[in-house]
Amino acid sequence: MPVAGGVWAISLLCAFLPGAAWWGAVGGGLLGAAALGALVHAHLRADARRRTDDDLRSFDAARARGGLFAIVVLAAAAAAMTAGFAMPQRTAAAELDGRVIDVYAEISSSSAAGSDGRLWFDAQTSHAGIASRPEPLTVPIRIGVERVPGLDLGSVIRVTGQVMVTDPGERAALVMFATEVEIVTPAQGVFAVAAQVREDFVERAVRLPEPGAGLLPGLAVGDTRAVTQELDDSMLASGLSHLTAVSGANCAIVVGAVFWLVALCGGGRTLRVVIALTALAAFVVLVTPEPSVIRAAVMAAIAMLTVLCGRPSAGVGVLCLAVAGILIADPWLSATPGFALSAAATAALIVLAPPLARGLARWMPHPLALAIAIPLAAQLVCGPIIALFSEQQSIVAIVANMIAGPAAPIATVIGLLACLAAPIPPLADLLAACAWLPAAWISATATVSAGLPGAQLAVIPGIAAALLVAVVSASIGVLLSVDGIAARRGVRGVSVVVLVVAVALLGARMLLAGPLVGTTVPEAWSIAACDVGQGDALVVRSQQRVALIDTGMEAEPLSTCLSALGIGRIDLLVLTHFDADHVGAAASMVGRVGTVLHGPVGSPEDSRLLSEFEEGGAALIDASTGMHGTLGEASWKVLWPRKDSAAFPAGNDASVVLEFDGGDVPRSLFLGDLSATPQRMLRDQLRGTYAVVKVAHHGSADQDTGMYDLLRPAAAIFSVGVDNDYGHPRAETLALLEAAGAVALRTDQQGRILIGTDAGELVLWTERADEAAGADETVEEPGEEPGEEPGDVDDPQ
């Protein structure tokens, strides 16, 4: 454990402080050499004199401590050296930040759908630079592309797009938003076979009915491309998303099954180990080497080698050896949530689950106690890690895992058999149908449990949240266990106090988010920016008439915000464009909307969404410049896009731009995701200044300075997610709005934002305090210039 801990600590240090890599390598090497030298010197001196038994015991203890210290610092130095050798290439990659370049790379992971609708995958670059002369560059990169076939593990691709340098600690040195993809060399050999097997299995699975069809490939081979956004959200909310992340359980199933089959056929120990390791390697290729898969596979391989050597070993020692070896090879894995969760969950099952089971057995049969202890141990240990980066903590995860967990290995084993049976279609279809049943059970469990009231608890991710969750988790573990420190009365007393306080605070929060939700929101608001993560969801209210501009990506944050605002029905829903971060949660509003004003339709999925609204009783209006109408006593007007514009097809630059004014609604402008070019063209539509502006594209760098000089807003809303991968809002855009005289309001820092008016001034309320605006702050509203009054009809034609 000290070796793994030391290697992990130095790996984190090198990942977040790259300049420390060579200092750590040199310092660790010198300390290790000094420790070894001291051991040799002490051994020579001890041999030169007469020793008693006490001397021998003392010498052995000192030698053990010295040897352990030497191994720890030398292993840490090895990890630091790996990071040091990688630094020149990562530094060269950082110089490409913001440029549009060509990249030649080999795909090193499976692809998964992102919140922006792109397919995202990891790759290892070989060359990068301008199209005419890309230069050699070897760094890991994260690439987002439109959906194209052939993006398989081992494929060599040429990608054109804009790259951004990542923050320290990220495993990928660059993130690329690709506009053009070319398959230079398709996957070859075993990679091609594995890709074809996965593709055949996905096609076979999706022909089965929902629920369960899209989830089955994820359970069997970790391919989540067919999982819908709604199911993915439910899996996350119910704490079941780990079931689609191939890890230790899957590797154990494969190795155990092969080991047993070879033994059943009479194979000896060596043959069993060799065939099991071969099957494990094939499985890793099939599911692609994600961080959790790498950790599990290395751990299983080490365990198999101990069997081969005749000294079977399992548990924390094997886990720590696997962790240390992997981090020495790739120190940046130390900062990846998947690797940390995988290692922590495995450690929890080894160390924490047995004492929890013994403690729970005081009140129930031991098999039931063990069934509860396994997911409980994993949840208690993984909870603090999840709190570092997630805005939600699942309250129903333990129960959901107890219900769904037994079905996972069944779906995995039968699903893998269906993959292998692909050359015999009838047999493969039969096995896939058999695997569908447990997959449907897991899917239904996720959907039902995620829909329960209070299924998730909202938290502000970070170290403070992680420490809080760690204290609560430790208290639960102490009260349920009976061994070691948990048996001490003082420790148990402190744990009881911690849990009583936590339950009281949780109960108060549930009341404020439920029956008493209205008491937390002031009455005089007219504009609200909901905190829905990296997405838009803004509300305008006048005389109890409500307009919702976009919905964000996930239904739960939107529903929470609307409930807090006391909103049940939407009179006017504006879908500015059909990117997932703007319409991902729109389906949850079907049947609750009077009119849908939408941007250009770009795909069959967009049309299907609109058809659902129409079937739910909503009137559909295709927005274009000049349309106007009323909302209570306020008026609205569409300033963009131009009707049937060939220059700006469906997408960001065809976002619906809307202005509101009157009826206690401050003059406001909502810019969707417009880039600088349409912003410049929009200037002709602007008349006078605006009190409130929703900044375009979450505050990206692609903004028109001249437009904001004309707008001169008093308040600028940035609808962004915490620590989002895009770097929104960009520093230059914040500076641009500050120069225009606006107060920056950010949902990532201040949560839900409410704006109203009082005697000609803007009044701001924010869910969380921030230096930009307090919980209650007034801002002088800019003087308005006379302009054309909008009419009462929906369409000037």
Side-chain angles (χ1 to χ4, degrees):
M1 290 179 67
V3 176
V7 172
W8 205 315
I10 197 68
S11 297
L12 283 172
L13 179 66
C14 295
F16 286 97
L17 295 174
W22 282 114
W23 288 103
V26 174
L30 292 176
L31 279 175
L36 290 176
L39 282 174
V40 172
H41 179 68
H43 182 74
L44 294 175
R45 289 188 60 188
D47 286 344
R49 64 183 184 182
R50 196 178 181 86
R51 293 178 293 178
T52 65
D53 289 343
D54 289 340
D55 291 335
L56 287 172
R57 284 192 292 269
S58 176
F59 175 73
D60 288 342
R63 183 173 59 180
R65 289 192 297 269
L68 175 61
F69 175 77
I71 293 172
V72 169
V73 294
L74 288 175
M81 186 177 298
T82 302
F85 280 122
M87 284 307 166
Q89 291 288 288
R90 295 179 76 97
T91 302
E95 297 174 358
L96 301 173
D97 185 31
R99 295 171 58 184
V100 176
I101 61 172
D102 275 7
V103 167
Y104 289 83
E106 181 176 339
I107 297 177
S108 58
S109 77
S110 58
S111 57
S115 59
D116 56 359
R118 294 170 176 262
L119 282 179
W120 288 89
F121 55 86
D122 294 322
Q124 190 77 11
T125 67
S126 60
H127 293 77
I130 59 176
S132 59
R133 55 176 191 279
E135 298 179 355
L137 182 70
T138 306
V139 292
I141 186 172
R142 184 80 173 161
I143 302 176
V145 302
E146 300 299 330
R147 292 178 180 269
V148 294
L151 299 176
D152 302 315
L153 177 68
S155 298
V156 177
I157 58 174
R158 181 189 65 81
V159 194
T160 302
Q162 185 178 30
V163 294
M164 293 173 54
V165 67
T166 58
D167 295 329
E170 295 282 348
R171 189 185 184 205
L174 296 170
V175 173
M176 169 174 269
F177 300 89
T179 57
E180 181 183 340
V181 183
E182 177 190 352
I183 308 295
V184 177
T185 305
Q188 304 290 326
V190 293
F191 296 114
V193 173
Q196 189 59 51
V197 168
R198 282 196 307 271
E199 200 64 37
D200 291 343
F201 182 62
V202 171
E203 291 179 3
R204 179 168 283 109
V206 297
R207 292 199 298 264
L208 297 167
E210 293 289 357
L215 186 61
L216 180 54
L219 296 170
V221 294
D223 193 318
T224 59
R225 289 175 296 173
V227 177
T228 64
Q229 187 62 51
E230 292 78 12
L231 179 57
D232 188 57
D233 294 340
S234 296
M235 295 285 288
L236 187 63
S238 59
L240 297 176
S241 58
H242 67 93
L243 296 180
T244 58
V246 178
S247 59
N250 305 75
C251 291
I253 290 169
V254 171
V255 170
V258 173
F259 205 81
W260 176 76
L261 284 173
V262 177
L264 193 64
C265 295
R269 182 174 64 188
T270 301
L271 183 62
R272 278 178 275 170
V273 170
V274 170
I275 295 180
L277 288 175
T278 303
L280 179 63
F283 178 71
V284 170
V285 172
L286 177 63
V287 301
T288 70
E290 307 291 347
S292 59
V293 179
I294 295 171
R295 193 276 312 157
V298 172
M299 185 174 174
I302 294 174
M304 287 294 97
L305 291 176
T306 63
V307 172
L308 185 63
C309 295
R311 299 179 61 185
S313 176
V316 176
V318 174
L319 172 63
C320 291
L321 182 58
V323 166
I326 293 170
L327 293 182
I328 289 172
D330 188 351
W332 280 271
L333 279 174
S334 62
T336 59
F339 186 80
L341 289 172
S342 176
T346 304
L349 299 182
I350 297 171
V351 177
L352 186 56
L356 284 179
R358 289 192 291 271
L360 291 171
R362 293 174 292 177
W363 306 297
M364 62 189 71
H366 188 268
L368 179 59
L370 185 60
I372 296 175
I374 289 173
L376 178 60
Q379 185 69 21
L380 292 179
V381 173
C382 293
I385 301 174
I386 295 173
L388 284 171
F389 57 86
S390 175
E391 298 179 359
Q392 304 289 336
Q393 282 280 328
S394 176
I395 304 299
V396 299
I398 296 171
V399 175
N401 274 277
M402 288 178 58
I403 297 172
I410 301 174
T412 299
V413 171
I414 302 178
L416 284 173
L417 291 175
C419 285
L420 298 176
I424 311 174
L427 178 60
D429 290 338
L430 176 62
L431 291 170
C434 293
W436 167 84
L437 185 60
W441 173 260
I442 294 171
S443 179
T445 302
T447 302
V448 172
S449 58
L452 295 174
Q456 283 188 301
L457 177 66
V459 296
I460 302 173
I463 295 177
L467 291 175
L468 177 62
V469 174
V471 169
V472 174
S473 296
S475 299
I476 295 173
V478 165
L479 288 181
L480 294 181
S481 299
V482 293
D483 300 344
I485 192 173
R488 298 182 182 178
R489 182 172 300 177
V491 174
R492 298 180 73 83
V494 172
S495 300
V496 170
V497 172
V498 169
L499 289 182
V500 169
V501 173
V503 170
L505 292 175
L506 178 61
R509 183 177 181 88
M510 292 178 67
L511 286 173
L512 291 175
L516 303 181
V517 65
T519 63
T520 66
V521 177
E523 285 292 331
W525 68 272
S526 55
I527 297 175
C530 294
D531 181 11
V532 293
Q534 183 65 13
D536 278 6
L538 300 111
V539 183
V540 180
R541 183 182 70 170
S542 176
Q543 293 296 305
Q544 303 309 311
R545 297 289 184 179
V546 175
L548 173 63
I549 304 171
D550 291 329
T551 67
M553 185 172 57
E554 299 176 2
E556 195 276 332
L558 176 66
S559 175
T560 299
C561 180
L562 295 181
S563 297
L565 298 175
I567 295 172
R569 181 168 177 81
I570 304 297
D571 298 287
L572 175 65
L573 173 62
V574 182
L575 303 179
T576 60
H577 60 299
F578 289 89
D579 282 356
D581 57 334
H582 291 257
V583 302
S588 67
M589 304 304 298
V590 171
R592 301 170 55 189
V593 175
T595 301
V596 177
L597 184 70
H598 62 87
V601 174
S603 70
E605 288 79 8
D606 303 345
S607 299
R608 279 195 291 270
L609 176 61
L610 294 177
S611 297
E612 291 179 15
F613 277 106
E614 192 170 29
E615 293 169 1
L620 305 182
I621 300 176
D622 190 354
S624 62
T625 302
M627 290 182 178
H628 51 279
T630 58
L631 181 79
E633 294 184 354
S635 59
W636 57 263
K637 184 177 181 180
V638 177
L639 304 185
W640 192 267
R642 296 176 178 175
K643 192 173 184 64
D644 299 326
S645 172
F648 299 105
N652 288 352
D653 287 345
S655 296
V656 176
V657 175
L658 220 63
E659 72 171 20
F660 282 85
D661 196 10
D664 292 329
V665 177
R667 193 160 190 250
S668 48
L669 186 66
F670 301 86
L671 290 167
D673 272 3
L674 290 195
S675 65
T677 299
Q679 286 178 24
R680 283 191 289 271
M681 300 176 67
L682 185 63
R683 291 187 202 174
D684 294 338
Q685 301 288 325
L686 304 176
R687 298 290 184 271
T689 58
Y690 289 80
V692 180
V693 168
K694 198 292 292 187
V695 179
H697 205 178
H698 319 288
S700 74
D702 195 7
Q703 308 285 343
D704 176 47
T705 304
M707 183 192 69
Y708 289 102
D709 287 339
L710 289 174
L711 298 177
R712 306 296 298 176
I717 298 173
F718 294 87
S719 187
V720 290
V722 176
D723 296 330
N724 61 86
D725 292 336
Y726 308 95
H728 295 161
R730 297 297 290 264
E732 53 266 43
T733 304
L734 289 170
L736 171 63
L737 269 298
E738 182 181 358
V743 172
L745 303 173
R746 299 174 50 170
T747 57
D748 62 333
Q749 294 182 352
Q750 295 157 276
R752 184 175 60 245
I753 298 165
L754 305 178
I755 302 176
T757 57
D758 181 18
E761 290 183 328
L762 292 184
V763 183
L764 312 177
W765 297 271
T766 61
E767 188 176 13
R768 300 190 291 270
D770 186 75
E771 63 273 8
D776 189 344
E777 181 177 331
T778 59
V779 179
E780 185 176 349
E781 188 172 349
E784 294 185 9
E785 298 179 10
E788 181 181 358
E789 287 294 327
D792 295 327
V793 297
D794 289 331
D795 193 321
Q797 299 176 353

